[in-house]
């Protein structure tokens, strides 16, 4: 290779190869240097087909390019396999087809909707045209009738006018329509109008005012329909305002207190007129102000009405009809039976044996805590209604209600237990109600059973059975073994036949509220026992301060009823609240009457509470303060599942304290715990006692946030035990002193660090370190405190026995003298319990 720096560089040519496959290429560098480079091309080796000799000298023909797989190429660009790409394309195509179908279906629905709208629009337009044509025909007929009436009046008018002129009186040219406020423009001509008979006069637009007619003075226009309508409206408004209306004297019922608006409504007068009357009398009153009966009577009489004075209590005069029924209207009814007795004596088990069910297993703690009402059908086909009352001491009010509502009381006494406190209470309730008594001596299958002993114990409560030469039936049964049930049924049937129970079913119903509760999804549900009449669905019922329209009635098996006759217990839905058990109920004629009765009762109860605010509690507090003691009070809030349980808990809690500690029920109601209950408990600082109820989610979160304690119970005696435990903890412990010894002071020593120390001799008993001491001077107590130092020689000791000498010093007291006596004692604090 030679260097060619001295020559000009040649123009660059494209790199090429000669046909032989080799060639020379000149390469240029910086600084004008260049060199030649030999380039060779390697020949491609041609591989012949097996079995066929290779042809020398001729290159093989190139194969045609393979077809490009577009699907694989597209899949490669997307980073997918060919199969995944094909599946995706198939899914997209199917989605596109579905979308097109939906679009087509939507378009079809839209077209159908537009078609229906067009059809409806056409129907409405046709209907509107028909109505317009009907209205036009009616107006035309009215106009024709009016024209005929005017023509007839015009024909008769001259004779009447001449008669009036002949008598010398002036003619009142005003028509009745003008008197009503209408206007009719009269002709300017002085002469009388001539009657025209042209057909053009009957046309509606004949009287149109034009310049020619106005200048000619011929103004015979008729009134338009719009003008006539306005005149009629003015006449109606004038009559409505009482322009020509006669005064009507009404009988106005005035209670003890009545508002201005209510008085005006009863007099059928405007309230503004009554207010104006009071303002003229010098009294500024609003429509909501109350007037006393005397003032209301003066106002009504001045307005020209007749007054009837009534008292508020008159609304209850006909609430329950006490009239004697006609003998022909009375029909036999089923007896109502109450099973009463001591707790755990087998009342519910005996009822289960009669009903062939197992209710006792479902009761919490094995005791009945609600009044259960059941209707039983005996084998003889006769029906009886049974009330199962609780036997626990807290449910005394429930037993009292059960005894008041029944005809026969089955007194259950356990043969192995005898007469107990609740047995005595049940006897008292049964005697007070006047119901017949049947003694059922239960648990005759036990080893300790002694029916004779039970009947002998009942003698002291004036329950004399037939075996004791009395008239009270006694049946020996076993609820567990189901023995003696036939005898019990026979005794019930015999007693009901002797009582000859009848009632009138063809009258409005009345009876007694047995139980009430609030159920989720049903609202207030009250168990009613019908005593007379027939209670029907849709009747308006009043019970205490609550009323309601009977929406549904259920029997003991949750079957729907349309009506309930005498001696039938039913669960009624439709009350505005849970009525208090024991309240009488009755059917009234209207909802207005029901509201009037309940409002009066609520007002009366409110006045009673305001006039007598918790007298018993204040008396107990006053007595405690007179004794120098302060009463500790435990506020609680009670929520229960039924009203009877809430009453029993309230009564038991409030009677659980003494003159030092007491419990007060801030609020007691039926139903689940809500946020209002939690806020009330927070403000009053009281826990919430939940008996068979639970809080909702919002109330539970609020209680956790506010720190309000909610305690859950299903057995009443567990609740009462907890309350008594809390009250016992609030009691101050009892301080008890124990005498241990006497010591005489022999000498007084003054020690620099300790102070005065008395040198003593123990004359009786012993002295203990840190015991209580009293300093006696001539048998008079001059100081009482604690012993701070007890030394024997130079050592501190725990105690010193009688006959030994020691040094004693008092806490914060040094006025000790020689010859004084020291009394030593210990103090113990004992926890007290409620009686």
């Amino acid at each position: 290779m030679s260097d060619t720096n001295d020559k000009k560089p040649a123009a660059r040519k494209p790199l090429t190869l000669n046909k032989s496959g080799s060639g020379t290429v000149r390469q240029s560098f910086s600084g004008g240097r260049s060199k030649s480079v030999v380039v060779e091309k390697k020949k491609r080796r041609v591989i012949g087909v097996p079995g066929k000799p290779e042809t020398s000298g001729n290159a093989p023909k190139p194969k045609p390019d393979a077809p490009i797989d577009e699907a694989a190429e597209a899949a490669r660009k997307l980073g997918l396999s060919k199969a995944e790409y094909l599946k995706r394309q198939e899914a997209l195509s199917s989605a596109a087809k579905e979308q097109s179908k939906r679009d087509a279906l939507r378009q079809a629905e839209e077209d159908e909707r537009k078609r229906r709208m067009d059809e409806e629009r056409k129907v409405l337009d046709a209907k509107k045209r028909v109505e317009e044509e009907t209205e036009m025909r009616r107006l035309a007929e009215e106009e024709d009738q009016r024209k005929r009436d005017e023509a007839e009046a015009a024909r008769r008018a001259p004779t009447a006018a001449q008669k009036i002129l002949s008598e010398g009186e002036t003619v009142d040219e005003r028509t009745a329509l003008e008197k009503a406020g209408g206007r009719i423009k009269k002709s300017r001509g002085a002469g009388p109008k001539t009657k025209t008979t042209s057909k053009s006069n009957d046309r509606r637009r004949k009287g149109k005012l034009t310049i020619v007619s106005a200048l000619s003075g011929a103004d015979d226009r008729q009134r338009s329909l719009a003008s006539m309508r306005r005149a009629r409206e003015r006449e109606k408004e004038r009559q409505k305002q009482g322009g020509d209306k006669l005064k009507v004297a009404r009988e106005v019922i005035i209670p003890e207190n009545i508002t201005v608006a209510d008085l005006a409504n009863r007099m059928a007068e405007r309230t503004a007129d009554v207010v104006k009357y009071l303002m003229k009398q010098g009294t500024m009153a609003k429509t909501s102000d109350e007037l006393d009966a005397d003032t209301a009577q003066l106002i009504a009489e001045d307005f020209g009405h007749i007054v009837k004075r009534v008292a508020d209590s008159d609304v209850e005069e006909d609430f329950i009809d006490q009239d004697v029924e006609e003998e022909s209207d009375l029909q036999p009814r089923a007896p109502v039976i109450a099973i009463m007795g001591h707790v755990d004596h087998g009342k519910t088990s005996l009822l289960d044996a009669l009903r062939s069910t197992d209710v006792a297993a479902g009761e919490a703690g094995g005791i009945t805590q609600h009044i259960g009402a059941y209707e039983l059908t005996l084998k003889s086909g006769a029906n009886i209604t049974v009330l199962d009352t609780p036997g626990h001491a807290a449910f005394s009010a429930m037993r009292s209600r059960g005894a008041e509502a029944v005809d026969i009381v089955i007194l259950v006494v356990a043969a192995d237990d005898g007469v107990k406190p609740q047995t005595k209470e049940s006897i008292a309730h049964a005697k007070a109600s006047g119901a017949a008594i049947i003694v059922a001596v239960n648990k005759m299958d036990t080893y300790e059973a002694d029916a004779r002993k039970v009947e002998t114990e009942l003698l002291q409560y004036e329950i004399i059975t037939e075996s004791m030469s009395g008239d009270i039936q006694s049946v020996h049964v076993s609820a567990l073994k189901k023995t003696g049930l036939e005898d019990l049924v026979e005794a019930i049937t015999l007693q009901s036949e002797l009582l000859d129970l009848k009632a009138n079913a063809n009258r409005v119903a009345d009876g007694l509220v047995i139980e009430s509760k609030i159920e989720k999804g049903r609202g207030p549900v009250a168990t009613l026992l019908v005593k007379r009449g027939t209670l029907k669905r849709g009747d308006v019922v009043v019970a205490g301060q609550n009323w309601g329209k009977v929406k549904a009635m259920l029997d003991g098996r949750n079957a729907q009823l349309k009506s309930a006759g005498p001696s039938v217990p039913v669960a009624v839905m439709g009350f505005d609240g849970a009525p208090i058990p024991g309240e009488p109920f009755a059917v009234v004629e209207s909802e207005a009457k029901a509201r009037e009765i309940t409002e009066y009762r609520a007002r009366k109860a409110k006045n009673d509470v305001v006039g007598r605010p918790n007298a018993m509690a204040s008396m107990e507090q006053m007595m405690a303060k007179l004794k120098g003691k302060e009463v500790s009070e435990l506020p609680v809030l009670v929520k229960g599942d039924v009203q009877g349980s809430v009453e029993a808990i309230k009564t038991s809690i409030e009677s659980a304290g003494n003159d030092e500690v007491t419990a007060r029920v801030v609020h007691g109601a039926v139903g689940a715990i809500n946020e209002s209950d939690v806020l009330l408990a927070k403000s009053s600082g009281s826990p919430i006692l939940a008996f068979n109820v639970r809080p909702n989610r919002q109330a539970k979160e609020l209680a956790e946030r506010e720190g309000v304690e909610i305690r859950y119970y299903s057995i009443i005696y567990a609740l009462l035990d907890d309350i008594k435990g809390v009250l016992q903890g609030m009691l101050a412990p009892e301080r008890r002193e124990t005498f241990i010894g006497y010591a005489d002071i022999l000498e007084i020593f003054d020690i620099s660090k300790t102070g005065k120390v008395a040198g003593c001799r123990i004359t009786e008993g012993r002295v203990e370190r840190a015991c209580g001491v009293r300093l006696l001077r001539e048998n008079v107590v001059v100081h009482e405190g604690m012993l701070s130092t007890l030394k024997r020689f130079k050592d501190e000791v725990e105690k010193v026995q009688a006959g030994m000498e020691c040094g004693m010093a008092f806490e914060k007291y040094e006025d000790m003298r020689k010859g004084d006596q020291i009394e030593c004692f210990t103090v113990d604090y004992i926890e007290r319990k409620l009686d």
Side-chain angles (χ1 to χ4, degrees), residues 8 14 37 142 157 165 304 367 422 529 551 607 630 706 801:
K8 292 182 179 179
V37 181
E142 289 181 357
L165 290 174
I367 65 171
Q422 275 70 61
L529 177 63
K551 297 179 180 177
N607 294 336
E630 289 295 331
E706 297 292 340
Q801 297 292 340

Side-chain angles (χ1 to χ4, degrees), residues 694-711:
R694 293 294 183 270
N696 55 36
R697 183 174 58 83
Q698 295 84 354
K700 188 174 182 181
E701 293 175 355
L702 181 61
E704 293 175 354
R705 189 164 58 251
E706 297 292 340
V708 175
E709 182 184 11
I710 302 177
R711 293 196 173 191

Side-chain angles (χ1 to χ4, degrees), residues 248-275:
V248 178
R250 303 177 184 275
E251 184 182 48
V252 181
I253 299 175
I254 298 179
E256 295 175 359
N257 293 292
I258 187 172
T259 62
V260 174
D262 191 12
L263 178 61
N265 186 29
R266 296 188 183 193
M267 295 190 302
E269 302 284 350
R270 293 194 308 162
T271 309
D273 294 340
V274 180
V275 174

Side-chain angles (χ1 to χ4, degrees), residues 364-627:
I367 65 171
T368 301
Q369 303 183 112
H370 307 147
I371 287 186
Y374 311 98
E375 189 174 13
L376 303 183
T377 302
L378 303 178
K379 292 182 180 179
S380 61
N383 293 332
I384 61 171
T385 300
V386 183
L387 305 182
D388 183 19
T389 63
H392 194 274
F395 296 101
S396 175
M398 282 192 183
R399 285 193 296 277
S400 175
R401 288 196 298 273
E404 291 176 0
V406 302
D407 307 309
I408 303 171
V409 172
I410 298 179
L411 183 65
V412 179
V413 186
D416 59 346
D417 205 11
V419 177
K420 291 296 179 181
Q422 275 70 61
T423 310
K424 305 173 187 175
E425 190 177 334
S426 300
I427 294 172
H429 290 321
K431 287 185 175 181
S433 65
I437 299 176
I438 298 175
V439 177
V441 183
N442 194 19
K443 299 186 180 181
M444 290 300 296
D445 57 316
T446 58
Y447 178 75
E448 300 87 357
D450 189 354
R452 189 73 177 179
K453 179 183 176 183
V454 171
E455 294 178 3
T456 304
E457 289 181 357
L458 290 173
L459 289 176
Q460 58 183 324
Y461 305 105
E462 299 179 0
I463 302 296
I464 306 172
T465 61
E466 292 177 343
S467 61
M468 295 289 179
S469 302
D471 56 353
I472 295 178
Q473 299 183 76
S474 177
V475 183
H476 300 170
V477 297
S478 173
L480 184 62
K481 302 296 183 179
K482 296 185 178 180
T483 59
L485 299 181
E486 294 81 2
D487 297 337
L488 180 60
V489 171
E490 184 180 352
I492 294 172
T493 306
L494 177 60
Q495 190 66 51
S496 60
E497 289 177 357
L498 292 175
L499 293 175
D500 191 21
L501 303 172
K502 292 183 179 181
N504 182 9
N506 301 319
R507 50 158 294 158
V508 294
D510 61 46
L512 199 67
V513 179
I514 299 298
E515 193 53 87
S516 63
K517 57 185 175 179
I518 297 178
E519 293 185 4
K520 185 176 181 180
R522 289 183 173 181
V525 179
T527 302
L528 307 181
L529 177 63
V530 182
K531 300 181 73 174
R532 297 186 302 173
T534 301
L535 183 64
K536 304 182 185 67
R537 192 183 301 172
D539 287 345
V540 180
V541 182
V542 176
Q545 299 182 25
N546 301 97
W547 72 278
K549 191 173 183 179
V550 179
K551 297 179 180 177
M553 289 191 298
L554 305 175
D555 61 6
R557 299 173 182 81
N558 285 330
Q560 290 278 355
L561 298 177
K562 292 185 178 180
S563 62
S567 302
V568 177
V570 287
V572 174
M573 288 176 282
F575 279 93
D576 59 350
I580 299 175
E583 288 282 354
F585 80 87
V587 175
V588 296
E589 63 271 13
S590 64
E591 295 183 8
K593 180 71 172 179
R595 290 193 188 94
E596 189 177 6
I597 294 173
T598 53
E599 287 173 1
Y600 162 71
R601 290 179 175 177
R603 187 166 59 251
K604 182 180 178 182
K606 184 178 180 180
N607 294 336
D608 291 343
V609 171
V610 172
R612 187 171 41 85
N614 205 4
M616 182 61 69
S618 61
M619 181 64 71
E620 291 178 354
Q621 293 175 3
M622 182 186 69
M623 294 300 295
K625 289 179 181 179
L626 290 176
K627 294 179 181 179

